[in-house]
Amino acid sequence: CISTSGSTMTVEWRAGAVTAQQAVRVRRETRQELAASSAGALWTLQDFITNSSMHSTGTNPDRLIPQTTGIYRFSATIRWDAFATIHEVTIKDSSGTALGSARSSAGSDIVQYATGLKRYDVLGGYARVVVSPSGSTSGLSTATDCHASMERL
């Protein structure tokens, strides 16, 4: 901002508002047994969290909850530790809309990656990682490569 008064000129610098970074990364502590149907991955550990309201290990541990409006990136890495005909991972918002997904055929020790973006114009929504083995019972590994994250861009 520049202003002048007579023979004096003043230069003033004003910083814009800074929004605190919103981010969380969660993972499994124990193996999650899954029947041949869809279920939300239950995240029992938090590697980091910038706002404690973004995730709870006790209440709705499958949800990642934005705390401000804006664009968020969601990602999930899932390691399946047992055989199933098809493995599918889908990141869904609270309305059930798919934000990203990955699908693979039969096998064990399969790792899948899914990512997605969503703009939140109002608060109250969430996203979750829905895992779907079909053909037989399967499970999510406890390995460090079975995790999910959410960050505000």
Side-chain angles (χ1 to χ4, degrees):
C1 178
I2 299 174
S3 63
T4 59
S5 173
S7 61
T8 305
M9 181 173 79
T10 305
V11 176
E12 202 177 301
W13 180 77
R14 295 180 187 165
V18 176
T19 303
Q21 182 65 26
Q22 297 281 311
V24 60
R25 179 177 154 142
V26 292
R27 61 186 166 95
R28 300 253 344 117
E29 184 174 23
T30 59
R31 183 178 189 275
Q32 183 177 342
E33 187 79 18
L34 298 165
S37 62
S38 297
L42 303 177
W43 307 110
T44 55
L45 292 175
Q46 299 168 339
D47 289 335
F48 60 83
I49 187 167
T50 60
N51 180 325
S52 62
S53 297
M54 296 175 77
H55 177 260
S56 170
T57 57
T59 303
N60 300 315
D62 59 331
R63 296 180 181 180
L64 300 177
I65 307 165
Q67 296 300 303
T68 61
T69 57
I71 298 173
Y72 285 80
R73 177 182 19 237
F74 298 90
S75 63
T77 300
I78 299 293
R79 178 180 290 278
W80 298 92
D81 66 1
F83 180 89
T85 305
I86 296 173
H87 298 88
E88 187 169 7
V89 175
T90 307
I91 300 171
K92 293 186 176 185
D93 69 9
S94 48
S95 73
T97 301
L99 308 178
S101 66
R103 184 179 175 114
S104 65
S105 56
S108 61
D109 202 29
I110 292 174
V111 178
Q112 292 179 304
Y113 308 95
T115 61
L117 296 172
K118 175 159 174 105
R119 179 184 176 125
Y120 287 88
D121 293 323
V122 295
L123 297 179
Y126 60 86
R128 58 197 291 254
V129 178
V130 177
V131 289
S132 307
S134 65
S136 65
T137 299
S138 197
L140 300 184
S141 172
T142 60
T144 56
D145 55 357
C146 192
H147 55 82
S149 62
M150 173 183 75
E151 64 181 317
R152 185 176 184 275
L153 301 180

